[in-house]
Amino acid sequence: MDIAHIFANPESPILMPAPNLRTTAVIPCAVCEGQQITVLAVRDRHGQPLENVLCRACGLVWVDPRPSNQSLEKFYSAEYRQQYKKSFQPKPKHLYRETLRASARLRDFLPHYQAGMRVLDIGAGAGFFSYVLRAQGIDSDGIEPNEHYAEFARSQLGLASVRTGFLLDITQRDHYHLITINHVFEHLPEPRAALAHMHSLLTVGGRVLMEVPNIEAVYHAPNKIFHLGHLYWYNPATLTALAAQCGFTLLQLDTHGSTQHIRVVLQKSATPVATTAVAHLVAGNADKVQAVRQGHTVRGHFLSARPYVRLAKKIVQYAREYLATRRFSNARELCDAIVKKWPLGRSQPHA
Ligand SMILES: [Zn+2]
């Protein structure tokens, strides 16, 4: 291989340092601004090159270097096609699943809601959560970057308040009492700026109800975790530290179910906390995260009961979705039937 060939092929491994030897990040850590890292993974779940790194100082994990906007757009358009195919209409099983999930979110939402509160759902998707809220007589605003999802919310679910756009397009300062953001925050390339913006949109004492995946989860096979969509991976410590630096008090945090997703309730406090003041929140966290990730091996995963229990649950779920959805002719009818039958989701403990 000659020099000309190397420069004609910028992906040539000769020009790339061995990824597991790299110890400096391209993008500084979003929690502590550190750049000393350990490379956790060099491939995504499809086997494509994608590096996820662990901050040595605080334990945050992120995609580094970040792929081009073009790659991200391609990823999202593929995900979009996977879920919505070419018709721009979710299949009945997706309607069923998403409306049930939205109903389950209602259970965590209601204790924080009082009549008259202004509510914003960030990453409203196709509007299922707004729809479930409306069935309870609660109006909400929604913002969703995918125009097809947002259009579905408006035209099929009658939710005129779901706008197409990004979080930064919402500019009503000190306006909202509650912000919900469900499995969206991990997709955002500037998490600190996003949280600071949410802080500005809330009234003092206003709350953020957020759920994100947990980097400590062992739900998925270890080689099926990382992908382009999740630009940041949190655990309770890093999410808490970031929120504290953006002027939020942590009211509640729990990890739930087999997925170990992290749910937090954050409250807008008056002043942000300096970076150094949150160091105690992340002390020892990098070693903890690294130990979990290194301890979760492919062999160990498939020797455990987890993947088989998950498969069995999925088979039951698919059968249930098929049976529950076959008699409905349109989206609205199906969503209404679910909301009426399971207003707080199907798995409510007292059901
Ligand atoms: Zn860090």
Side-chain angles (χ1 to χ4, degrees):
M1 188 179 289
D2 60 26
I3 293 294
H5 179 84
I6 291 170
F7 282 97
N9 295 279
E11 300 281 325
S12 166
I14 292 178
L15 287 183
M16 301 287 283
N20 56 350
L21 296 179
R22 184 164 72 98
T23 56
T24 306
V26 176
I27 308 166
C29 173
V31 170
C32 73
E33 297 175 0
Q35 284 189 269
Q36 295 305 304
I37 49 98
T38 298
V39 176
L40 278 189
V42 295
R43 300 262 167 202
D44 73 2
R45 61 187 177 193
H46 305 297
Q48 298 300 310
L50 184 77
E51 292 189 31
N52 271 267
V53 302
L54 168 80
C55 176
R56 293 301 338 157
C58 77
L60 183 69
V61 173
W62 68 97
V63 173
D64 184 279
R66 194 171 297 152
S68 65
N69 287 343
Q70 199 182 12
S71 305
L72 287 170
E73 279 170 20
K74 200 172 153 195
F75 170 81
Y76 279 110
S77 73
E79 290 281 297
Y80 165 78
R81 277 199 303 276
Q82 191 187 356
Q83 192 175 1
Y84 282 60
K85 303 300 175 188
K86 289 174 182 165
S87 63
F88 300 150
Q89 297 293 328
K91 286 183 166 185
K93 68 177 181 183
H94 293 130
L95 286 169
Y96 179 86
R97 201 177 298 166
E98 293 303 324
T99 309
L100 268 185
R101 281 181 185 161
S103 297
R105 284 172 64 191
L106 186 64
R107 200 183 319 147
D108 297 317
F109 172 90
L110 287 175
H112 303 281
Y113 179 79
Q114 290 171 13
M117 281 185 165
R118 288 185 290 274
V119 180
L120 171 66
D121 190 30
I122 296 170
F128 299 114
F129 189 57
S130 297
Y131 194 76
V132 163
L133 288 179
R134 198 177 62 184
Q136 298 285 324
I138 300 170
D139 288 327
S140 62
D141 293 336
I143 188 82
E144 166 56 40
N146 184 305
E147 60 178 303
H148 299 295
Y149 288 17
E151 177 55 28
F152 179 88
R154 291 189 293 265
S155 64
Q156 301 298 308
L157 299 182
L159 295 162
S161 59
V162 175
R163 286 172 52 188
T164 306
F166 293 90
L167 168 59
L168 296 182
D169 296 332
I170 308 259
T171 54
Q172 292 140 297
R173 297 180 70 86
D174 305 315
H175 180 74
Y176 290 100
H177 302 95
L178 283 175
I179 290 178
T180 58
I181 175 165
N182 194 59
H183 288 265
V184 170
F185 192 62
E186 67 275 16
H187 296 261
L188 303 180
E190 304 289 346
R192 186 185 284 257
L195 264 180
H197 192 70
M198 285 184 239
H199 190 274
S200 77
L201 299 178
L202 284 168
T203 57
V204 172
R207 295 178 182 184
V208 176
L209 277 55
M210 181 191 292
E211 183 171 308
V212 292
N214 187 347
I215 189 60
E216 295 183 75
V218 292
Y219 182 66
H220 292 285
N223 57 335
K224 296 292 178 189
I225 293 172
F226 297 110
H227 61 90
L228 260 182
H230 289 181
L231 297 175
Y232 284 92
W233 287 88
Y234 304 91
N235 78 337
T238 47
L239 189 60
T240 303
L242 185 60
Q245 290 174 83
C246 294
F248 287 101
T249 303
L250 179 72
L251 294 185
Q252 193 182 318
L253 181 148
D254 61 279
T255 57
H256 68 96
S258 53
T259 61
Q260 299 172 53
H261 292 329
I262 309 167
R263 279 187 195 145
V264 287
V265 178
L266 309 172
Q267 187 166 46
K268 175 173 175 169
S269 52
T271 49
V273 178
T275 307
T276 49
V278 296
H280 66 284
L281 294 172
V282 292
N285 194 48
D287 288 342
K288 181 170 175 256
V289 172
Q290 187 170 5
V292 171
R293 290 278 42 106
Q294 286 181 344
H296 186 208
T297 62
V298 173
R299 188 168 180 272
H301 185 79
F302 286 102
L303 284 175
S304 78
R306 285 191 305 271
Y308 311 105
V309 170
R310 194 170 153 226
L311 179 65
K313 281 183 178 171
K314 276 202 165 180
I315 291 168
V316 171
Q317 181 193 337
Y318 292 156
R320 181 183 288 151
E321 285 170 353
Y322 172 75
L323 293 171
T325 57
R326 59 188 174 158
R327 65 193 168 88
F328 295 100
S329 56
N330 66 62
R332 193 87 170 251
E333 213 177 85
L334 175 53
C335 293
D336 282 341
I338 296 165
V339 167
K340 197 174 164 193
K341 193 168 182 185
W342 295 296
L344 295 175
R346 201 174 185 287
S347 58
Q348 51 186 315
H350 53 279

